[in-house]
Every structure is written in structure tokens, then in C-alpha cells.
Amino acid sequence: YGHRVAPAPGGDIIVTGFTHGSFPVTAGAAQTLFGGLGDAFVVRVKAAGDGLGYSTYLGGNSWDGAGGLAVDALGQVILSGDTHSATFPATPGAWDRTCSNCSTNDSTDGYIAKLSAAGNRWIFATYVGGAAAPASESLRRIAVDTDGSIWAVGMSGGADFPTTSDAAQPQSGGGGDAVIVRL
């Protein structure tokens, strides 16, 4: 299922979405093996439409969806979405490497991941969510500003979504809240 498309430097096209597996990935891609029940994917289609620059999975042992897509000036791809996977490939040094909500099927954590321009490695991948369950958290849109900061928007159904002390609304309003995240 294709969900988002964005232009890349040089005229290539980046596509992201969701697959149940058996998706064509390229040799040397960041994640060549299907992770679980459903994975996000990223494909770079050459400008002439005559081939793939790369094609990779992004996911762990359960469901992983892509919601947001941005491409920076260097051609690096930034994704956001939601995951049920306790084995989502969070990278060493990532802001949050543990999915506290992935133990139940009714809970998700959001994520943000950045893929190299060559599509061969995850520069970083991090969970973004609280620990209270059940809580569905998802980051559905993403953008990169001129100084390289990453902005994501989405929702949180959790009472303990991570906020900064100077946030406009540092505590949940209950039920479901819109969230804005800046990395």
C-alpha cells in the first residue's frame, strides 16, 4: 500500500507505505528481511522511471506503518509512523530504544527514522511514546526545516507522552491529544 510520495534531489521519487511481505528489496538495503506481520517500506525510483535506486523494509516483529515522509537537501529520507513491534530497529544512541506499549495489540508507539541517501543504513530510528498502556501513539506527518530540525505531528492516547517542561501543554488532556515533536 503506497501512502506517501516526495521528490528527491536529482529528480528521483521517494515512495513509502506498508506491506505484508514479499516486497522487492534491493541488495545492500538498510533492511533486506521482512520483520513481522507488516512492515513499512521505502523505495527510491530513478528519475527516468527505469529502475530503483533502492528499496528497503522498516519494521520489527509485528505491525509497522509509515505515515509521514520528508526528504532533506542531502537526499536522506525521514519517516514517521507507528509500531506494534518490540523489535523495531531502534538504533544505538537513539532517543528511545524501548517500546513500552508494544506488549499488547491495542497499543502502539510512534517512531521517527532517518535513512541514508544511498538507502543502505538507518542513520537513526527511535521510538516516540509514553509507557502507559493501553495507549495508541502515532506520528502521521513529518517535515524538515531549513536548519535540519525534524518536525512530526500526530496523536497520543496515552497519559504520559513525553513532553518538555516548557511545552504549551505538558500534560495529557485525556482521551486523545494532538502532539507536535521536534528533534
Side-chain angles (χ1 to χ4, degrees), residues 19-128:
T19 180
H20 291 286
S22 298
F23 195 81
V25 295
T26 53
Q31 183 178 331
T32 57
L33 298 176
F34 183 64
L37 302 172
D39 281 356
F41 68 80
V42 182
V43 175
R44 185 176 189 130
V45 180
K46 292 182 179 179
D50 59 353
L52 301 179
Y54 60 77
S55 179
T56 187
Y57 290 115
L58 173 60
N61 63 330
S62 191
W63 300 99
D64 307 281
L69 169 66
V71 181
D72 70 13
L74 300 174
Q76 300 170 128
V77 175
I78 301 96
L79 297 177
S80 66
D82 52 60
T83 179
H84 287 272
S85 295
T87 60
F88 180 83
T91 54
W95 177 71
D96 186 355
R97 297 193 63 215
T98 304
C99 182
S100 302
N101 279 323
C102 291
S103 60
T104 64
N105 283 336
D106 60 349
S107 294
T108 59
D109 259 11
Y111 73 80
I112 298 174
K114 187 176 192 177
L115 181 65
S116 67
N120 62 347
R121 70 180 176 89
W122 295 106
I123 295 168
F124 71 80
T126 185
Y127 290 104
V128 181

